[in-house]
Amino acid sequence: MKRFTATLTFILLAAGAAIAAEPTLEVKNKSSFTMEGNSRNPFWPIGWKPAVHSGSDDHVDPSIPASAFLVSSIAMQDEQHFAIINGQIMQEGQEFGLQMSGQTYHIKVKSIEDGKVILAQRDQEIVVVLRRK
């Protein structure tokens, strides 16, 4: 055990001497890189675009225009109200996704009335009028 300790001590001393003997480097010109906010990151592969984050609570969504929706039919019978919105049959309280500008917005059918549908997206209400030919 004494021999192992002596050998280890010698190795550590030799390593310390080697580290102390290394010359220090003086940096004369330090490189830097700054990029404007709207520029494409040059380190991304050509043609690659970052993933769009949707559905986060801190992201502020732009106003969705009523023209993004097409209500082609409304059917009301007793307490059941149905509407065809963008080619899909929807009823009150149903939620669906709207893809626009590379993002998916969560829309809820708030109410279906005679001649119009009221949609909700977060705190925004969107009134879409029935399209008549």
Side-chain angles (χ1 to χ4, degrees):
M1 185 71 172
K2 250 184 178 181
R3 185 174 182 176
F4 175 73
T5 306
T7 306
L8 185 59
T9 305
F10 176 73
I11 291 172
L12 291 174
L13 288 174
I19 291 172
E22 286 184 22
T24 58
L25 296 175
E26 184 179 327
V27 179
K28 293 182 181 179
N29 295 323
K30 186 176 181 181
S31 64
S32 65
F33 176 76
T34 56
M35 188 171 85
E36 294 180 20
N38 59 356
S39 299
R40 181 188 166 280
N41 188 334
F43 299 106
W44 290 342
I46 295 173
W48 183 84
K49 294 181 181 177
V52 177
H53 300 287
S54 64
S56 67
D57 292 336
D58 58 346
H59 184 265
V60 178
D61 295 332
S63 295
I64 299 173
S67 62
F69 303 97
L70 172 65
V71 177
S72 54
S73 180
I74 294 177
M76 296 188 296
Q77 181 180 4
D78 298 329
E79 294 187 23
Q80 294 182 341
H81 298 196
F82 295 94
I84 298 178
I85 304 170
N86 292 349
Q88 296 184 356
I89 299 172
M90 302 283 174
Q91 67 183 60
E92 290 180 344
Q94 189 171 353
E95 295 184 7
F96 64 97
L98 172 70
Q99 287 191 352
M100 193 170 106
S101 303
Q103 294 184 359
T104 302
Y105 299 97
H106 299 283
I107 310 293
K108 182 176 183 177
V109 179
K110 189 172 182 180
S111 68
I112 299 173
E113 300 173 6
D114 189 22
K116 66 180 176 181
V117 174
I118 300 174
L119 305 172
Q121 196 270 333
R122 294 189 186 220
D123 59 345
Q124 176 187 7
E125 279 192 359
I126 305 164
V127 178
V128 184
V129 180
L130 173 65
R131 180 179 171 193
R132 301 174 195 254
K133 290 184 179 183

